């Protein structure tokens, strides 16, 4: 049984996904919004996970085979563990192709993260 909880992303004004939560400067978060955002930031709070997330996000074509991103200074089982944590937080998706697993960061996730931390623009 899986205990995976994916971050909810909502469609916004035709410009992609809205964050799970309002921008931090808009209003105080609800308890549920804070839980959702905390899962995301907790997953990215580990340097190895942040490197793996960055490797996937910056990889040519927007996806990376685990065989191409494993060189982060830890063993392969540890890489798999960290990738699993990033998937559980809703930050990555994966697809098995033959013997390899390919990971992708959904553009809506990057947009949601950016909107959450965005400062209001001057009018």
């Amino acid at each position: 049984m899986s205990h995976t909880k994916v971050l909810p992303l909502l469609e916004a004004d035709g410009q992609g996904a809205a964050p799970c939560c309002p921008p931090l400067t808009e209003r105080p978060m609800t308890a549920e919004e804070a839980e959702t955002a905390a899962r995301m930031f907790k997953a990215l709070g580990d340097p190895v996970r942040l490197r793996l997330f960055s490797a996937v996000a910056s990889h040519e074509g927007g996806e990376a085979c685990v065989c191409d991103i494993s060189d982060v200074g830890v063993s392969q089982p540890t890489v798999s563990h960290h990738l699993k944590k990033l998937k559980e937080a809703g930050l990555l998706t994966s697809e098995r192709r033959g013997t390899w697993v390919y990971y992708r960061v959904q553009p809506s996730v990057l947009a949601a993260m950016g909107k959450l931390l965005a400062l209001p623009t001057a009018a």
Side-chain angles (χ1 to χ4, degrees):
M1 179 184 335
S2 175
H3 296 288
T4 301
K5 181 160 183 173
V6 176
L7 295 173
L9 298 173
L10 307 172
E11 290 303 314
D13 58 16
Q15 296 184 2
C20 60
C21 319
L24 294 174
T25 57
E26 185 176 297
R27 64 169 170 78
M29 288 183 171
T30 66
E32 184 178 345
E33 291 168 340
E35 286 285 332
T36 301
R39 271 192 302 279
M40 177 178 63
F41 288 116
K42 182 176 181 181
L44 292 174
D46 181 281
V48 172
R49 287 185 202 145
L50 190 54
R51 287 184 67 201
L52 288 168
F53 186 75
S54 174
V56 173
S58 64
H59 201 271
E60 185 178 333
E63 71 176 6
C65 173
V66 69
C67 60
D68 294 328
I69 59 170
S70 302
D71 188 21
V72 290
V74 296
S75 67
Q76 190 283 324
T78 303
V79 168
S80 294
H81 166 76
H82 287 303
L83 289 168
K84 178 183 174 186
K85 292 296 183 180
L86 290 167
K87 278 185 63 176
E88 287 174 349
L91 298 170
L92 294 179
T93 60
S94 67
E95 177 184 354
R96 179 172 291 282
R97 297 182 198 156
T99 58
W100 297 110
V101 178
Y102 287 78
Y103 290 88
R104 175 178 292 277
V105 175
Q106 295 295 352
S108 59
V109 170
L110 291 176
M113 291 169 59
K115 287 181 181 181
L116 177 65
L117 297 173
L119 292 174
T121 57

